Amino acid sequence: WGWDAQALATARQQLQAGELPSEQQEAADALLSRATSLLALDGGTRCVDDVTSEPALGPWSLVDKKYVPPSGDKRDFWTISTYHWPCNAACNISYFGKTKCLSWWRRPSYYNLSVPYPDWSACNNDTGMPWIPHDGFMNPDGQRDGGCLIMMAEATVPLSLAYYLFRDERFADAAARILRTWFVNASTRMNPRILYGGMQPGVYNGTASAIV
């Protein structure tokens, strides 16, 4: 079907008449199943369940993050340079495993040789600034906003299509609730700007181009 308006209108007409070709009917059934599963919104604004570390049920908001962007506003979208962590962070053995953690303090090959690694004299134990790289140890908090954005989009599309095809108001209500949380509600909406891509907290505030 794609996003061709006429094709969607034809598909809806055939669906209502019970005349969809078998392959399209299978696709419609899969869409209905997916959209129905997305109705279980938990009423929060989390991106990740704090207990299970699994994706939350939505709706989603950028305010669900541990760290605050340079603007002081959690509604700003940001990403953190992949392997960067607070300067006083210890390796999470339960996440990375004991063997991998043995290389936590290995000096990255690209790190400036004129700068001590780690430079404890520059590390603020209260703030964890500046963040430093641990090569090969991806920080999941660094891509949290991007994951949240993807979950929002991947939920809104099937809900919207399901409402168009099946005319079930529950799908429209769920899609609208997700979109209002992300774009409209003052306390949860994303600020209409992308400034902090590839940040290295305490070193570099990032750039919009690093989001790509």
Side-chain angles (χ1 to χ4, degrees), residues 161-212:
L161 280 174
Y163 170 68
Y164 178 81
L165 292 172
F166 296 99
R167 284 299 190 249
D168 186 328
E169 293 290 338
R170 296 178 302 162
F171 299 139
D173 289 343
R177 185 175 170 190
I178 292 169
L179 292 172
R180 282 195 296 268
T181 300
W182 190 272
F183 291 106
V184 180
N185 296 345
S187 62
T188 60
R189 69 190 179 200
M190 174 182 165
N191 288 328
R193 60 189 184 189
I194 298 179
L195 304 175
Y196 308 115
M199 273 196 62
Q200 297 170 20
V203 179
Y204 170 62
N205 282 347
T207 175
S209 62
I211 297 295
V212 179

mmCIF file of all heavy atoms in Angstrom, residues 161-212:
data_model
loop_
_atom_site.group_PDB
_atom_site.id
_atom_site.type_symbol
_atom_site.label_atom_id
_atom_site.label_comp_id
_atom_site.label_asym_id
_atom_site.label_seq_id
_atom_site.Cartn_x
_atom_site.Cartn_y
_atom_site.Cartn_z
ATOM 1 N N LEU A 161 -2.539 4.060 10.759
ATOM 2 C CA LEU A 161 -3.012 3.254 9.637
ATOM 3 C C LEU A 161 -4.167 2.350 10.047
ATOM 4 O O LEU A 161 -5.138 2.172 9.292
ATOM 5 C CB LEU A 161 -1.864 2.401 9.090
ATOM 6 C CG LEU A 161 -0.867 3.096 8.163
ATOM 7 C CD1 LEU A 161 0.283 2.156 7.829
ATOM 8 C CD2 LEU A 161 -1.553 3.571 6.889
ATOM 9 N N ALA A 162 -4.079 1.784 11.231
ATOM 10 C CA ALA A 162 -5.149 0.901 11.694
ATOM 11 C C ALA A 162 -6.446 1.677 11.867
ATOM 12 O O ALA A 162 -7.535 1.171 11.527
ATOM 13 C CB ALA A 162 -4.748 0.236 13.015
ATOM 14 N N TYR A 163 -6.353 2.897 12.374
ATOM 15 C CA TYR A 163 -7.581 3.689 12.496
ATOM 16 C C TYR A 163 -8.171 3.978 11.120
ATOM 17 O O TYR A 163 -9.381 3.851 10.906
ATOM 18 C CB TYR A 163 -7.324 5.007 13.221
ATOM 19 C CG TYR A 163 -8.529 5.919 13.128
ATOM 20 C CD1 TYR A 163 -9.703 5.582 13.783
ATOM 21 C CD2 TYR A 163 -8.497 7.063 12.334
ATOM 22 C CE1 TYR A 163 -10.831 6.375 13.668
ATOM 23 C CE2 TYR A 163 -9.621 7.869 12.215
ATOM 24 C CZ TYR A 163 -10.784 7.522 12.881
ATOM 25 O OH TYR A 163 -11.917 8.289 12.750
ATOM 26 N N TYR A 164 -7.322 4.352 10.175
ATOM 27 C CA TYR A 164 -7.815 4.670 8.836
ATOM 28 C C TYR A 164 -8.518 3.462 8.205
ATOM 29 O O TYR A 164 -9.585 3.607 7.591
ATOM 30 C CB TYR A 164 -6.655 5.110 7.947
ATOM 31 C CG TYR A 164 -7.068 5.415 6.527
ATOM 32 C CD1 TYR A 164 -7.640 6.636 6.197
ATOM 33 C CD2 TYR A 164 -6.915 4.463 5.519
ATOM 34 C CE1 TYR A 164 -8.045 6.911 4.901
ATOM 35 C CE2 TYR A 164 -7.316 4.729 4.217
ATOM 36 C CZ TYR A 164 -7.883 5.958 3.910
ATOM 37 O OH TYR A 164 -8.285 6.220 2.623
ATOM 38 N N LEU A 165 -7.946 2.293 8.360
ATOM 39 C CA LEU A 165 -8.488 1.107 7.697
ATOM 40 C C LEU A 165 -9.658 0.477 8.446
ATOM 41 O O LEU A 165 -10.621 0.013 7.817
ATOM 42 C CB LEU A 165 -7.390 0.067 7.510
ATOM 43 C CG LEU A 165 -6.281 0.433 6.519
ATOM 44 C CD1 LEU A 165 -5.166 -0.599 6.573
ATOM 45 C CD2 LEU A 165 -6.836 0.538 5.099
ATOM 46 N N PHE A 166 -9.579 0.472 9.783
ATOM 47 C CA PHE A 166 -10.582 -0.265 10.556
ATOM 48 C C PHE A 166 -11.576 0.637 11.271
ATOM 49 O O PHE A 166 -12.568 0.142 11.825
ATOM 50 C CB PHE A 166 -9.876 -1.168 11.578
ATOM 51 C CG PHE A 166 -9.037 -2.245 10.959
ATOM 52 C CD1 PHE A 166 -7.657 -2.077 10.845
ATOM 53 C CD2 PHE A 166 -9.598 -3.405 10.463
ATOM 54 C CE1 PHE A 166 -6.862 -3.055 10.272
ATOM 55 C CE2 PHE A 166 -8.818 -4.394 9.884
ATOM 56 C CZ PHE A 166 -7.439 -4.222 9.781
ATOM 57 N N ARG A 167 -11.321 1.928 11.288
ATOM 58 C CA ARG A 167 -12.233 2.895 11.891
ATOM 59 C C ARG A 167 -12.551 2.574 13.352
ATOM 60 O O ARG A 167 -13.676 2.753 13.814
ATOM 61 C CB ARG A 167 -13.525 2.989 11.075
ATOM 62 C CG ARG A 167 -13.387 3.785 9.789
ATOM 63 C CD ARG A 167 -12.973 5.224 10.129
ATOM 64 N NE ARG A 167 -13.038 6.121 9.004
ATOM 65 C CZ ARG A 167 -11.972 6.654 8.408
ATOM 66 N NH1 ARG A 167 -10.771 6.336 8.832
ATOM 67 N NH2 ARG A 167 -12.114 7.495 7.430
ATOM 68 N N ASP A 168 -11.552 2.123 14.083
ATOM 69 C CA ASP A 168 -11.696 1.857 15.507
ATOM 70 C C ASP A 168 -11.124 3.053 16.252
ATOM 71 O O ASP A 168 -9.921 3.332 16.176
ATOM 72 C CB ASP A 168 -10.935 0.571 15.870
ATOM 73 C CG ASP A 168 -11.155 0.142 17.314
ATOM 74 O OD1 ASP A 168 -11.348 1.026 18.180
ATOM 75 O OD2 ASP A 168 -11.116 -1.071 17.579
ATOM 76 N N GLU A 169 -11.973 3.771 16.958
ATOM 77 C CA GLU A 169 -11.564 5.010 17.621
ATOM 78 C C GLU A 169 -10.452 4.798 18.642
ATOM 79 O O GLU A 169 -9.699 5.722 18.958
ATOM 80 C CB GLU A 169 -12.769 5.657 18.307
ATOM 81 C CG GLU A 169 -13.839 6.178 17.360
ATOM 82 C CD GLU A 169 -13.379 7.407 16.586
ATOM 83 O OE1 GLU A 169 -12.446 8.082 17.059
ATOM 84 O OE2 GLU A 169 -13.966 7.691 15.532
ATOM 85 N N ARG A 170 -10.310 3.588 19.155
ATOM 86 C CA ARG A 170 -9.252 3.335 20.145
ATOM 87 C C ARG A 170 -7.874 3.581 19.538
ATOM 88 O O ARG A 170 -6.969 4.090 20.216
ATOM 89 C CB ARG A 170 -9.337 1.896 20.650
ATOM 90 C CG ARG A 170 -10.600 1.548 21.422
ATOM 91 C CD ARG A 170 -10.557 0.082 21.818
ATOM 92 N NE ARG A 170 -10.420 -0.775 20.637
ATOM 93 C CZ ARG A 170 -10.014 -2.046 20.677
ATOM 94 N NH1 ARG A 170 -9.661 -2.595 21.834
ATOM 95 N NH2 ARG A 170 -9.914 -2.759 19.563
ATOM 96 N N PHE A 171 -7.726 3.259 18.261
ATOM 97 C CA PHE A 171 -6.432 3.463 17.613
ATOM 98 C C PHE A 171 -6.135 4.947 17.448
ATOM 99 O O PHE A 171 -5.008 5.397 17.664
ATOM 100 C CB PHE A 171 -6.402 2.744 16.254
ATOM 101 C CG PHE A 171 -6.587 1.256 16.349
ATOM 102 C CD1 PHE A 171 -7.380 0.578 15.436
ATOM 103 C CD2 PHE A 171 -5.968 0.527 17.345
ATOM 104 C CE1 PHE A 171 -7.558 -0.794 15.516
ATOM 105 C CE2 PHE A 171 -6.131 -0.849 17.436
ATOM 106 C CZ PHE A 171 -6.928 -1.512 16.524
ATOM 107 N N ALA A 172 -7.137 5.714 17.065
ATOM 108 C CA ALA A 172 -6.955 7.160 16.906
ATOM 109 C C ALA A 172 -6.644 7.812 18.248
ATOM 110 O O ALA A 172 -5.770 8.685 18.346
ATOM 111 C CB ALA A 172 -8.206 7.782 16.293
ATOM 112 N N ASP A 173 -7.353 7.388 19.289
ATOM 113 C CA ASP A 173 -7.130 7.966 20.617
ATOM 114 C C ASP A 173 -5.709 7.688 21.102
ATOM 115 O O ASP A 173 -5.049 8.564 21.670
ATOM 116 C CB ASP A 173 -8.145 7.394 21.610
ATOM 117 C CG ASP A 173 -9.560 7.898 21.363
ATOM 118 O OD1 ASP A 173 -9.711 8.908 20.656
ATOM 119 O OD2 ASP A 173 -10.508 7.269 21.882
ATOM 120 N N ALA A 174 -5.228 6.459 20.883
ATOM 121 C CA ALA A 174 -3.876 6.098 21.329
ATOM 122 C C ALA A 174 -2.822 6.882 20.555
ATOM 123 O O ALA A 174 -1.854 7.387 21.137
ATOM 124 C CB ALA A 174 -3.658 4.598 21.162
ATOM 125 N N ALA A 175 -3.000 6.978 19.228
ATOM 126 C CA ALA A 175 -2.045 7.732 18.417
ATOM 127 C C ALA A 175 -2.016 9.201 18.835
ATOM 128 O O ALA A 175 -0.938 9.807 18.962
ATOM 129 C CB ALA A 175 -2.398 7.609 16.933
ATOM 130 N N ALA A 176 -3.195 9.771 19.075
ATOM 131 C CA ALA A 176 -3.272 11.180 19.478
ATOM 132 C C ALA A 176 -2.613 11.397 20.831
ATOM 133 O O ALA A 176 -1.931 12.405 21.052
ATOM 134 C CB ALA A 176 -4.736 11.618 19.523
ATOM 135 N N ARG A 177 -2.789 10.448 21.726
ATOM 136 C CA ARG A 177 -2.183 10.574 23.050
ATOM 137 C C ARG A 177 -0.660 10.553 22.964
ATOM 138 O O ARG A 177 0.036 11.332 23.627
ATOM 139 C CB ARG A 177 -2.672 9.419 23.923
ATOM 140 C CG ARG A 177 -2.228 9.488 25.362
ATOM 141 C CD ARG A 177 -2.870 8.366 26.132
ATOM 142 N NE ARG A 177 -2.331 8.221 27.461
ATOM 143 C CZ ARG A 177 -2.586 7.192 28.259
ATOM 144 N NH1 ARG A 177 -3.371 6.225 27.830
ATOM 145 N NH2 ARG A 177 -2.063 7.132 29.459
ATOM 146 N N ILE A 178 -0.130 9.685 22.120
ATOM 147 C CA ILE A 178 1.318 9.617 21.925
ATOM 148 C C ILE A 178 1.842 10.919 21.334
ATOM 149 O O ILE A 178 2.851 11.466 21.787
ATOM 150 C CB ILE A 178 1.674 8.429 21.017
ATOM 151 C CG1 ILE A 178 1.388 7.102 21.737
ATOM 152 C CG2 ILE A 178 3.131 8.487 20.582
ATOM 153 C CD1 ILE A 178 1.469 5.889 20.834
ATOM 154 N N LEU A 179 1.162 11.413 20.316
ATOM 155 C CA LEU A 179 1.605 12.635 19.641
ATOM 156 C C LEU A 179 1.480 13.865 20.544
ATOM 157 O O LEU A 179 2.342 14.747 20.526
ATOM 158 C CB LEU A 179 0.812 12.839 18.354
ATOM 159 C CG LEU A 179 1.090 11.803 17.256
ATOM 160 C CD1 LEU A 179 0.118 11.967 16.093
ATOM 161 C CD2 LEU A 179 2.522 11.904 16.756
ATOM 162 N N ARG A 180 0.401 13.918 21.333
ATOM 163 C CA ARG A 180 0.267 15.054 22.257
ATOM 164 C C ARG A 180 1.385 15.060 23.285
ATOM 165 O O ARG A 180 1.915 16.114 23.644
ATOM 166 C CB ARG A 180 -1.104 15.006 22.951
ATOM 167 C CG ARG A 180 -2.260 15.497 22.100
ATOM 168 C CD ARG A 180 -3.483 15.772 22.966
ATOM 169 N NE ARG A 180 -3.981 14.546 23.588
ATOM 170 C CZ ARG A 180 -4.903 13.762 23.059
ATOM 171 N NH1 ARG A 180 -5.441 14.067 21.889
ATOM 172 N NH2 ARG A 180 -5.315 12.667 23.695
ATOM 173 N N THR A 181 1.747 13.864 23.769
ATOM 174 C CA THR A 181 2.821 13.775 24.765
ATOM 175 C C THR A 181 4.139 14.239 24.175
ATOM 176 O O THR A 181 4.908 14.958 24.823
ATOM 177 C CB THR A 181 2.952 12.329 25.275
ATOM 178 O OG1 THR A 181 1.718 11.929 25.882
ATOM 179 C CG2 THR A 181 4.082 12.204 26.286
ATOM 180 N N TRP A 182 4.421 13.846 22.933
ATOM 181 C CA TRP A 182 5.719 14.147 22.319
ATOM 182 C C TRP A 182 5.806 15.566 21.771
ATOM 183 O O TRP A 182 6.861 16.206 21.860
ATOM 184 C CB TRP A 182 6.004 13.156 21.190
ATOM 185 C CG TRP A 182 7.413 13.253 20.671
ATOM 186 C CD1 TRP A 182 7.878 14.075 19.679
ATOM 187 C CD2 TRP A 182 8.554 12.525 21.145
ATOM 188 N NE1 TRP A 182 9.223 13.897 19.491
ATOM 189 C CE2 TRP A 182 9.668 12.953 20.379
ATOM 190 C CE3 TRP A 182 8.728 11.549 22.125
ATOM 191 C CZ2 TRP A 182 10.946 12.435 20.584
ATOM 192 C CZ3 TRP A 182 10.005 11.030 22.311
ATOM 193 C CH2 TRP A 182 11.091 11.480 21.543
ATOM 194 N N PHE A 183 4.691 16.090 21.223
ATOM 195 C CA PHE A 183 4.756 17.369 20.503
ATOM 196 C C PHE A 183 3.995 18.528 21.138
ATOM 197 O O PHE A 183 4.266 19.681 20.807
ATOM 198 C CB PHE A 183 4.201 17.193 19.081
ATOM 199 C CG PHE A 183 5.066 16.358 18.181
ATOM 200 C CD1 PHE A 183 4.688 15.067 17.846
ATOM 201 C CD2 PHE A 183 6.254 16.845 17.665
ATOM 202 C CE1 PHE A 183 5.477 14.287 17.011
ATOM 203 C CE2 PHE A 183 7.046 16.081 16.833
ATOM 204 C CZ PHE A 183 6.662 14.792 16.496
ATOM 205 N N VAL A 184 3.028 18.258 22.031
ATOM 206 C CA VAL A 184 2.100 19.319 22.438
ATOM 207 C C VAL A 184 2.163 19.655 23.923
ATOM 208 O O VAL A 184 2.325 20.823 24.292
ATOM 209 C CB VAL A 184 0.649 18.940 22.048
ATOM 210 C CG1 VAL A 184 -0.312 20.050 22.484
ATOM 211 C CG2 VAL A 184 0.538 18.695 20.545
ATOM 212 N N ASN A 185 2.018 18.665 24.792
ATOM 213 C CA ASN A 185 1.933 18.940 26.226
ATOM 214 C C ASN A 185 3.181 19.661 26.727
ATOM 215 O O ASN A 185 4.302 19.210 26.506
ATOM 216 C CB ASN A 185 1.737 17.643 27.013
ATOM 217 C CG ASN A 185 0.409 16.969 26.682
ATOM 218 O OD1 ASN A 185 -0.471 17.570 26.089
ATOM 219 N ND2 ASN A 185 0.276 15.713 27.073
ATOM 220 N N ALA A 186 2.978 20.774 27.415
ATOM 221 C CA ALA A 186 4.097 21.644 27.789
ATOM 222 C C ALA A 186 5.167 20.947 28.617
ATOM 223 O O ALA A 186 6.360 21.214 28.460
ATOM 224 C CB ALA A 186 3.561 22.864 28.544
ATOM 225 N N SER A 187 4.782 20.059 29.492
ATOM 226 C CA SER A 187 5.759 19.450 30.400
ATOM 227 C C SER A 187 6.508 18.273 29.780
ATOM 228 O O SER A 187 7.549 17.872 30.306
ATOM 229 C CB SER A 187 5.060 18.978 31.683
ATOM 230 O OG SER A 187 4.092 17.982 31.385
ATOM 231 N N THR A 188 6.007 17.741 28.676
ATOM 232 C CA THR A 188 6.618 16.526 28.109
ATOM 233 C C THR A 188 7.055 16.666 26.656
ATOM 234 O O THR A 188 7.764 15.795 26.154
ATOM 235 C CB THR A 188 5.625 15.345 28.186
ATOM 236 O OG1 THR A 188 4.425 15.676 27.444
ATOM 237 C CG2 THR A 188 5.264 15.029 29.627
ATOM 238 N N ARG A 189 6.664 17.730 25.981
ATOM 239 C CA ARG A 189 6.954 17.844 24.552
ATOM 240 C C ARG A 189 8.444 18.063 24.300
ATOM 241 O O ARG A 189 9.163 18.629 25.123
ATOM 242 C CB ARG A 189 6.161 18.992 23.945
ATOM 243 C CG ARG A 189 6.613 20.361 24.411
ATOM 244 C CD ARG A 189 5.643 21.443 23.979
ATOM 245 N NE ARG A 189 6.076 22.759 24.454
ATOM 246 C CZ ARG A 189 5.259 23.803 24.554
ATOM 247 N NH1 ARG A 189 3.981 23.689 24.236
ATOM 248 N NH2 ARG A 189 5.718 24.971 24.974
ATOM 249 N N MET A 190 8.886 17.604 23.140
ATOM 250 C CA MET A 190 10.261 17.849 22.707
ATOM 251 C C MET A 190 10.403 19.298 22.255
ATOM 252 O O MET A 190 9.546 19.817 21.528
ATOM 253 C CB MET A 190 10.619 16.913 21.550
ATOM 254 C CG MET A 190 11.977 17.190 20.938
ATOM 255 S SD MET A 190 12.320 16.102 19.530
ATOM 256 C CE MET A 190 13.708 16.972 18.778
ATOM 257 N N ASN A 191 11.469 19.962 22.690
ATOM 258 C CA ASN A 191 11.740 21.301 22.178
ATOM 259 C C ASN A 191 12.022 21.221 20.675
ATOM 260 O O ASN A 191 12.695 20.293 20.220
ATOM 261 C CB ASN A 191 12.944 21.927 22.890
ATOM 262 C CG ASN A 191 12.628 22.321 24.319
ATOM 263 O OD1 ASN A 191 11.496 22.685 24.634
ATOM 264 N ND2 ASN A 191 13.617 22.254 25.189
ATOM 265 N N PRO A 192 11.502 22.168 19.892
ATOM 266 C CA PRO A 192 11.647 22.107 18.425
ATOM 267 C C PRO A 192 13.040 22.533 17.958
ATOM 268 O O PRO A 192 13.212 23.479 17.201
ATOM 269 C CB PRO A 192 10.559 23.073 17.930
ATOM 270 C CG PRO A 192 10.455 24.080 19.026
ATOM 271 C CD PRO A 192 10.665 23.303 20.313
ATOM 272 N N ARG A 193 14.036 21.811 18.446
ATOM 273 C CA ARG A 193 15.420 22.098 18.055
ATOM 274 C C ARG A 193 16.270 20.868 18.361
ATOM 275 O O ARG A 193 15.936 20.076 19.246
ATOM 276 C CB ARG A 193 15.971 23.296 18.839
ATOM 277 C CG ARG A 193 15.966 23.070 20.353
ATOM 278 C CD ARG A 193 16.299 24.329 21.111
ATOM 279 N NE ARG A 193 16.390 24.088 22.550
ATOM 280 C CZ ARG A 193 16.503 25.046 23.457
ATOM 281 N NH1 ARG A 193 16.538 26.311 23.060
ATOM 282 N NH2 ARG A 193 16.583 24.763 24.745
ATOM 283 N N ILE A 194 17.321 20.696 17.618
ATOM 284 C CA ILE A 194 18.273 19.611 17.864
ATOM 285 C C ILE A 194 19.664 20.226 17.862
ATOM 286 O O ILE A 194 20.212 20.558 16.817
ATOM 287 C CB ILE A 194 18.145 18.505 16.799
ATOM 288 C CG1 ILE A 194 16.738 17.887 16.847
ATOM 289 C CG2 ILE A 194 19.194 17.435 17.017
ATOM 290 C CD1 ILE A 194 16.518 16.793 15.807
ATOM 291 N N LEU A 195 20.234 20.382 19.044
ATOM 292 C CA LEU A 195 21.499 21.105 19.190
ATOM 293 C C LEU A 195 22.643 20.241 19.717
ATOM 294 O O LEU A 195 23.807 20.569 19.499
ATOM 295 C CB LEU A 195 21.314 22.283 20.159
ATOM 296 C CG LEU A 195 20.210 23.293 19.827
ATOM 297 C CD1 LEU A 195 20.103 24.310 20.948
ATOM 298 C CD2 LEU A 195 20.502 23.977 18.505
ATOM 299 N N TYR A 196 22.308 19.174 20.424
ATOM 300 C CA TYR A 196 23.318 18.499 21.243
ATOM 301 C C TYR A 196 23.587 17.071 20.773
ATOM 302 O O TYR A 196 23.390 16.099 21.505
ATOM 303 C CB TYR A 196 22.873 18.494 22.704
ATOM 304 C CG TYR A 196 22.500 19.869 23.222
ATOM 305 C CD1 TYR A 196 21.197 20.161 23.600
ATOM 306 C CD2 TYR A 196 23.451 20.877 23.316
ATOM 307 C CE1 TYR A 196 20.848 21.421 24.070
ATOM 308 C CE2 TYR A 196 23.121 22.137 23.773
ATOM 309 C CZ TYR A 196 21.809 22.409 24.154
ATOM 310 O OH TYR A 196 21.478 23.657 24.609
ATOM 311 N N GLY A 197 24.055 16.943 19.563
ATOM 312 C CA GLY A 197 24.395 15.626 19.038
ATOM 313 C C GLY A 197 25.855 15.291 19.281
ATOM 314 O O GLY A 197 26.737 16.114 19.081
ATOM 315 N N GLY A 198 26.141 14.059 19.719
ATOM 316 C CA GLY A 198 27.518 13.639 19.931
ATOM 317 C C GLY A 198 28.205 14.361 21.064
ATOM 318 O O GLY A 198 29.415 14.604 21.025
ATOM 319 N N MET A 199 27.452 14.703 22.100
ATOM 320 C CA MET A 199 28.024 15.431 23.236
ATOM 321 C C MET A 199 29.095 14.638 23.962
ATOM 322 O O MET A 199 29.064 13.412 23.994
ATOM 323 C CB MET A 199 26.916 15.750 24.243
ATOM 324 C CG MET A 199 26.163 17.025 24.014
ATOM 325 S SD MET A 199 25.268 17.430 25.534
ATOM 326 C CE MET A 199 26.639 17.636 26.684
ATOM 327 N N GLN A 200 30.020 15.359 24.551
ATOM 328 C CA GLN A 200 30.979 14.812 25.503
ATOM 329 C C GLN A 200 30.869 15.707 26.732
ATOM 330 O O GLN A 200 31.545 16.735 26.823
ATOM 331 C CB GLN A 200 32.394 14.826 24.923
ATOM 332 C CG GLN A 200 32.550 13.963 23.689
ATOM 333 C CD GLN A 200 33.878 14.167 22.993
ATOM 334 O OE1 GLN A 200 34.831 14.662 23.580
ATOM 335 N NE2 GLN A 200 33.946 13.795 21.727
ATOM 336 N N PRO A 201 29.971 15.378 27.650
ATOM 337 C CA PRO A 201 29.677 16.279 28.771
ATOM 338 C C PRO A 201 30.935 16.749 29.500
ATOM 339 O O PRO A 201 31.822 15.966 29.825
ATOM 340 C CB PRO A 201 28.791 15.420 29.682
ATOM 341 C CG PRO A 201 28.092 14.497 28.731
ATOM 342 C CD PRO A 201 29.124 14.161 27.703
ATOM 343 N N GLY A 202 30.968 18.052 29.714
ATOM 344 C CA GLY A 202 32.117 18.651 30.369
ATOM 345 C C GLY A 202 33.257 18.974 29.427
ATOM 346 O O GLY A 202 34.241 19.604 29.826
ATOM 347 N N VAL A 203 33.128 18.542 28.152
ATOM 348 C CA VAL A 203 34.184 18.771 27.155
ATOM 349 C C VAL A 203 33.631 19.491 25.943
ATOM 350 O O VAL A 203 34.190 20.496 25.482
ATOM 351 C CB VAL A 203 34.833 17.439 26.708
ATOM 352 C CG1 VAL A 203 35.908 17.689 25.650
ATOM 353 C CG2 VAL A 203 35.405 16.686 27.904
ATOM 354 N N TYR A 204 32.498 19.008 25.429
ATOM 355 C CA TYR A 204 31.990 19.466 24.140
ATOM 356 C C TYR A 204 30.474 19.317 24.150
ATOM 357 O O TYR A 204 29.961 18.249 24.484
ATOM 358 C CB TYR A 204 32.619 18.609 23.048
ATOM 359 C CG TYR A 204 32.069 18.760 21.658
ATOM 360 C CD1 TYR A 204 32.139 19.978 20.987
ATOM 361 C CD2 TYR A 204 31.488 17.673 21.001
ATOM 362 C CE1 TYR A 204 31.651 20.111 19.702
ATOM 363 C CE2 TYR A 204 30.996 17.805 19.702
ATOM 364 C CZ TYR A 204 31.076 19.021 19.068
ATOM 365 O OH TYR A 204 30.580 19.153 17.800
ATOM 366 N N ASN A 205 29.784 20.385 23.793
ATOM 367 C CA ASN A 205 28.332 20.373 23.862
ATOM 368 C C ASN A 205 27.640 19.773 22.641
ATOM 369 O O ASN A 205 26.415 19.755 22.576
ATOM 370 C CB ASN A 205 27.788 21.803 24.099
ATOM 371 C CG ASN A 205 27.933 22.221 25.545
ATOM 372 O OD1 ASN A 205 28.212 21.401 26.415
ATOM 373 N ND2 ASN A 205 27.749 23.502 25.795
ATOM 374 N N GLY A 206 28.404 19.315 21.675
ATOM 375 C CA GLY A 206 27.801 18.649 20.534
ATOM 376 C C GLY A 206 27.340 19.599 19.461
ATOM 377 O O GLY A 206 27.540 20.819 19.518
ATOM 378 N N THR A 207 26.691 19.035 18.456
ATOM 379 C CA THR A 207 26.238 19.796 17.293
ATOM 380 C C THR A 207 25.043 19.110 16.670
ATOM 381 O O THR A 207 24.846 17.898 16.838
ATOM 382 C CB THR A 207 27.366 19.928 16.254
ATOM 383 O OG1 THR A 207 26.873 20.583 15.082
ATOM 384 C CG2 THR A 207 27.873 18.540 15.841
ATOM 385 N N ALA A 208 24.240 19.857 15.942
ATOM 386 C CA ALA A 208 23.065 19.268 15.289
ATOM 387 C C ALA A 208 23.457 18.225 14.260
ATOM 388 O O ALA A 208 22.783 17.209 14.093
ATOM 389 C CB ALA A 208 22.232 20.370 14.629
ATOM 390 N N SER A 209 24.575 18.445 13.580
ATOM 391 C CA SER A 209 24.966 17.531 12.500
ATOM 392 C C SER A 209 25.317 16.147 13.019
ATOM 393 O O SER A 209 25.256 15.153 12.285
ATOM 394 C CB SER A 209 26.150 18.105 11.723
ATOM 395 O OG SER A 209 27.285 18.255 12.557
ATOM 396 N N ALA A 210 25.688 16.030 14.295
ATOM 397 C CA ALA A 210 26.072 14.739 14.851
ATOM 398 C C ALA A 210 24.885 13.826 15.123
ATOM 399 O O ALA A 210 25.050 12.661 15.441
ATOM 400 C CB ALA A 210 26.865 14.929 16.133
ATOM 401 N N ILE A 211 23.667 14.349 14.983
ATOM 402 C CA ILE A 211 22.467 13.528 15.162
ATOM 403 C C ILE A 211 22.340 12.521 14.033
ATOM 404 O O ILE A 211 21.826 11.427 14.186
ATOM 405 C CB ILE A 211 21.190 14.427 15.222
ATOM 406 C CG1 ILE A 211 21.255 15.360 16.433
ATOM 407 C CG2 ILE A 211 19.932 13.577 15.259
ATOM 408 C CD1 ILE A 211 21.226 14.649 17.760
ATOM 409 N N VAL A 212 22.815 12.898 12.842
ATOM 410 C CA VAL A 212 22.673 12.047 11.659
ATOM 411 C C VAL A 212 23.453 10.750 11.846
ATOM 412 O O VAL A 212 24.606 10.780 12.244
ATOM 413 C CB VAL A 212 23.169 12.778 10.415
ATOM 414 C CG1 VAL A 212 23.046 11.865 9.188
ATOM 415 C CG2 VAL A 212 22.377 14.057 10.191
#
